Amino acid sequence: MRRVGLYWFGNDLRVRDNANLQQAGAVVDQLLCVYCLDPQWLSPNQYGLARLSPQRWRFLKEALQDLDKNLQQAGQRLLVCYDAPVTAIGALVAKHGVSVVYRSRHCGFQERQQWLALQQHIPGLRFIESDTHTLFNLKDLPFAQLPPTFTQFKELVEHLPVDHPLPAADALPPCPEPKSDWLLNFPVYLPASYALDPDLPFHGGETAGNKRLKTYFHSGYASRYKDLRDELDGWENSTKFSPWLAHGNLSVRKVHADLRRYEHDHGANESTYWLYLELLWREYFQWYAHQYGKRLFAFRGITQRKPLTCFYAERFQKWCQGNTPFPLVNACMKQLNATGFMSNRGRQIAASCLVNELELDWRFGAAYFEQQLLDYDVASNWGNWQYLAGVGADPRGKRHFDLAKQSRLYDPHGKFIRSWQAEIQNLPLDSVDAADWPVDPAQTKSVLPA
């Protein structure tokens, strides 16, 4: 009797170093490779924001197209379902007699709820998860409860061995439907097909991600990473791996292996160690999201402290558009809106402004970053926002960046601000108050940094 398996792609849109996909291919006779585009993504979230910007849609579409191309080389195709995962996968299981479902373990609360709901919906089915989105496997972690701080986490895990990345499978079992029925057509809410724009720095997919990985470690910039990482602009000033890591186009274990190879060939130094620390920070937030579940999105975070905020819709819109009284923040936001990317330093500056100068609910900022960032990762995004807002794992509490000092340190000549046309002149913070009453400009105190 033939055994039919289903591989549910999510945060692992690749064929290389995908142990779960290889395991599925080794034990089933036929295999469905499925990705679900949930129509719920079209609806505004609770903050009134779109879940994916056009830039994020473009990157995702390119990643799916590249995945389909790479699956074809192994005798497979990608089936994109335009339905909620439980509905779509439930129908495929019934239609094809699927006996086992595979996926990469996901740290997102909603994604975990979908996984549980699918198990309850089809109780007789076998479900297999594996850790393909993290450096370490769940079973190998040296603790039952996540340590309360990153430093404690790092001390426990930084010397753990990391699995070596696997090559792509040469062949996968065939799909149980004619390939002609599996055309990768996208619905109207995704952009139409187009040629890749060479002027765009980020293109989705495993092929582009591995090209960037190879280029970066051949450039020698890894040996200078610590000195360059806080630059606000510049393609080589950071690795730029994060969009491909977020979608699983790149395996974090592959990044780790290439880093160790670089250290072997060119020597380890403080910068290459900092690169490893960045991977550990990402790792910490993955398990942080697993640990705290829906509290990742709670106003009080994982603490009992209630942030003091008053929501001004006008302030939030000005922050989103890069139209605040703070030129450096404006430049960072204009960069984000135009490219879908912002430096790590820029993210901290923009987030600190929203929480401290604008005194807004940190969750609105996190939701806007979710909409705009090509490298949106539920754990890293919401975990970092909690950290900065003082409701997360940082023992120091809320972090407040001196915007004038940040400008002097990281844009002393105003080049970054001018490049994004973010200069302003005595712009008031509000034209209305919290109750939408007009504010007298004559009585509005400028909040420009001295």
Side-chain angles (χ1 to χ4, degrees):
M1 182 177 178
R2 68 187 179 99
R3 190 178 188 196
V4 181
L6 186 148
Y7 192 92
W8 177 11
F9 280 97
N11 58 356
D12 56 343
L13 303 181
R14 65 179 185 275
V15 295
R16 296 179 183 87
D17 193 32
N18 194 331
N20 214 15
L21 181 62
Q22 291 202 12
Q23 180 185 0
V27 300
V28 301
D29 303 302
Q30 294 180 321
L31 183 65
L32 289 152
C33 293
V34 178
Y35 184 86
C36 295
L37 280 171
D38 194 335
Q40 182 182 350
W41 294 355
L42 294 178
S43 304
N45 59 26
Q46 68 189 89
Y47 306 100
L49 296 168
R51 296 172 189 273
L52 290 89
S53 68
Q55 288 269 34
R56 283 196 64 198
W57 275 124
R58 172 189 61 79
F59 193 94
L60 174 60
K61 179 181 178 181
E62 291 172 350
L64 294 173
Q65 289 173 322
D66 188 66
L67 175 60
D68 181 57
K69 179 180 177 181
N70 292 332
L71 284 171
Q72 288 184 55
Q73 295 178 7
Q76 260 291 340
R77 291 297 305 267
L78 180 66
L79 173 61
V80 177
C81 298
Y82 312 114
D83 211 338
V86 174
T87 303
I89 293 175
L92 289 169
V93 167
K95 180 178 179 181
H96 297 288
V98 172
S99 60
V100 56
V101 175
Y102 298 85
R103 80 156 187 181
S104 173
R105 195 187 313 276
H106 205 296
C107 69
F109 177 75
Q110 182 179 12
E111 289 80 4
R112 286 159 60 190
Q113 292 298 110
Q114 290 172 338
W115 185 241
L116 293 173
L118 190 61
Q119 294 179 50
Q120 294 169 0
H121 183 63
I122 318 173
L125 206 61
R126 189 180 179 202
F127 294 86
I128 298 176
E129 281 187 303
S130 65
D131 299 303
T132 67
H133 198 62
T134 50
L135 277 174
F136 310 118
N137 298 302
L138 176 62
K139 64 180 178 60
D140 297 327
L141 293 176
F143 47 77
Q145 292 287 111
L146 184 74
T149 68
F150 170 72
T151 300
Q152 292 169 304
F153 170 81
K154 176 181 73 70
E155 290 172 351
L156 289 172
V157 305
E158 69 175 313
H159 299 298
L160 289 179
V162 177
D163 290 345
H164 196 75
L166 300 170
D170 293 329
L172 291 168
C175 50
E177 286 191 5
K179 295 179 184 177
S180 60
D181 297 339
W182 291 50
L183 297 177
L184 196 66
N185 293 323
F186 289 89
V188 294
Y189 56 82
L190 278 177
S193 298
Y194 54 87
L196 293 182
D197 184 347
D199 294 328
L200 292 174
F202 295 105
H203 286 290
E206 182 176 7
T207 302
N210 277 285
K211 180 180 178 181
R212 171 58 187 166
L213 185 68
K214 182 178 180 180
T215 300
Y216 182 77
F217 282 118
H218 273 75
S219 69
Y221 279 97
S223 296
R224 300 175 56 204
Y225 173 77
K226 189 172 185 292
D227 299 326
L228 301 172
R229 62 186 292 271
D230 279 325
E231 297 293 327
L232 296 171
D233 213 349
W235 181 246
E236 299 297 349
N237 289 331
S238 64
T239 68
K240 305 298 189 297
F241 298 155
S242 56
W244 295 287
L245 283 171
H247 290 78
N249 302 154
L250 270 181
S251 153
V252 67
R253 292 167 185 165
K254 170 64 173 169
V255 175
H256 176 267
D258 282 18
L259 172 61
R260 295 305 186 211
R261 185 178 302 112
Y262 178 89
E263 290 180 321
H264 177 269
D265 294 342
H266 303 279
N269 64 7
E270 191 176 15
S271 283
T272 60
Y273 177 69
W274 270 81
L275 274 171
Y276 182 50
L277 281 184
E278 300 287 11
L279 297 182
L280 291 184
W281 265 110
R282 176 187 181 275
E283 188 79 4
Y284 178 69
F285 281 122
Q286 297 299 312
W287 299 113
Y288 181 93
H290 275 289
Q291 174 87 14
Y292 294 108
K294 64 181 179 181
R295 291 173 65 189
L296 190 66
F297 312 100
F299 184 48
R300 296 173 186 260
I302 66 170
T303 71
Q304 295 303 311
R305 294 188 295 272
K306 182 179 180 181
L308 297 176
T309 65
C310 183
F311 186 72
Y312 287 74
E314 181 186 23
R315 289 187 186 183
F316 180 58
Q317 288 303 317
K318 284 183 174 179
W319 180 83
C320 293
Q321 296 162 11
N323 193 29
T324 75
F326 309 103
L328 187 62
V329 174
N330 296 341
C332 290
M333 297 305 295
K334 288 177 183 293
Q335 179 190 46
L336 171 65
N337 294 335
T339 68
F341 191 81
M342 191 193 298
S343 69
N344 180 64
R345 174 61 54 175
R347 297 179 199 205
Q348 294 179 72
I349 290 168
S352 176
C353 176
L354 181 131
V355 169
N356 296 295
E357 275 70 30
L358 304 185
E359 300 177 327
L360 298 176
D361 184 339
W362 67 270
R363 296 173 300 171
F364 281 81
Y368 191 72
F369 274 20
E370 175 178 343
Q371 174 184 284
Q372 296 296 124
L373 284 170
L374 293 178
D375 62 4
Y376 171 72
D377 175 279
V378 62
S380 295
N381 183 66
W382 289 85
N384 271 300
W385 270 93
Q386 282 195 356
Y387 194 86
L388 189 136
V391 296
D394 187 358
R396 292 170 49 185
K398 185 167 69 171
R399 302 217 169 195
H400 190 174
F401 287 74
D402 182 329
L403 298 181
K405 181 179 179 180
Q406 296 295 308
S407 295
R408 291 194 300 270
L409 287 174
Y410 300 109
D411 194 29
H413 306 295
K415 180 180 177 182
F416 178 68
I417 291 171
R418 288 193 301 274
S419 71
W420 291 103
Q421 300 178 348
E423 308 97 325
I424 50 90
Q425 295 292 330
N426 296 321
L427 182 72
L429 182 59
D430 302 307
S431 62
V432 296
D433 63 16
D436 286 337
W437 283 78
V439 174
D440 182 357
Q443 298 179 6
T444 301
K445 183 179 179 180
S446 173
V447 291
L448 283 171

